[in-house]
Amino acid sequence: MQKNLGKAMRYLVAACALGSALAMVGCGGGDGDNGGATTTSNVSNQSVPVNATTVQAILGQPFTIPNGSIFDPGIGNNPVTFTFPSSTTFSLGGSSTASGDVAFGSCTLTVKLSGFPAAQGPQVGKVIPFTTCSIQITASNVTVGSGAVSGTLTLTLSGPNGSSTSLAITVQVSIRSDGTLVINGVATGITISGTTGTTGTGGTP
């Protein structure tokens, strides 16, 4: 009887030791799985120049502009839709359509095709030199080096006659681990350095 009791006690001690070892392994692996500290950053009205690279973030995205006269006085105070179909072209839609080439510096549009009647819209050969053509990005709590969050992109155009317009759309914003700002998967070349906070290790704030 005493012999059996002693054997049972040895089994019990061994089982407890094994359980403790497994528990320590489990606890020790947690930090490794979740990585170290993570940093979040706010992007506040960050200006991004529109060029052949950054414009790819808004290709095919229609911007509805309430006052089409910014493109041509003949359109008057009527809405038009402005789109970049590619990184070198633009299209304009309203009572009719026009399209052509884009040269970046600001954004200089050259009309190559037009369905607008004379004096009612831009005609073939017309050059529209926007003095301002930029986008601004705003997003909150972007985890650096992680996935994208929804943010706001505002396109600002200022025309040759001093007219100006700004249009906002929703985009996906992320920040790479090196601080590079990314819009809809397109790297902008802009570095975001400010941070709003750091979370603790193991994914626990």
Side-chain angles (χ1 to χ4, degrees):
M1 184 78 175
Q2 227 173 1
K3 185 175 180 182
N4 291 336
L5 182 59
K7 186 181 293 186
M9 288 297 293
R10 286 196 296 273
Y11 284 145
L12 182 60
V13 170
C16 288
L18 180 60
S20 297
L22 290 174
M24 290 178 65
V25 170
C27 292
D31 288 342
D33 292 342
N34 291 311
T38 58
T39 301
T40 60
S41 180
N42 286 339
V43 181
S44 181
N45 205 34
Q46 174 65 54
S47 182
V48 177
V50 181
N51 54 44
T53 298
T54 59
V55 75
Q56 294 180 47
I58 52 175
L59 293 185
Q61 171 66 55
F63 291 88
T64 301
I65 298 174
N67 187 349
S69 64
I70 193 172
F71 294 95
D72 188 276
I75 297 176
N77 189 23
N78 294 305
V80 293
T81 300
F82 178 62
T83 309
F84 291 104
S86 76
S87 59
T88 58
T89 60
F90 79 94
S91 66
L92 196 64
S95 60
S96 191
T97 60
S99 61
D101 297 335
V102 179
F104 293 106
S106 52
C107 291
T108 299
L109 313 181
T110 302
V111 179
K112 294 296 184 72
L113 295 172
S114 177
F116 285 95
Q120 295 182 32
Q123 301 298 296
V124 173
K126 180 180 177 69
V127 176
I128 308 170
F130 285 111
T131 54
T132 300
C133 178
S134 66
I135 52 181
Q136 292 78 39
I137 305 298
T138 297
S140 299
N141 299 321
V142 185
T143 301
V144 177
S146 188
V149 302
S150 292
T152 300
L153 178 150
T154 302
L155 172 69
T156 300
L157 298 173
S158 295
N161 300 318
S163 55
S164 181
T165 189
S166 296
L167 299 310
I169 61 171
T170 299
V171 292
Q172 294 298 300
V173 179
S174 59
I175 301 174
R176 292 178 176 172
S177 56
D178 63 0
T180 300
L181 176 65
V182 178
I183 309 167
N184 286 343
V186 176
T188 64
I190 301 294
T191 300
I192 304 298
S193 57
T195 60
T196 58
T198 303
T199 63
T201 59
T204 302

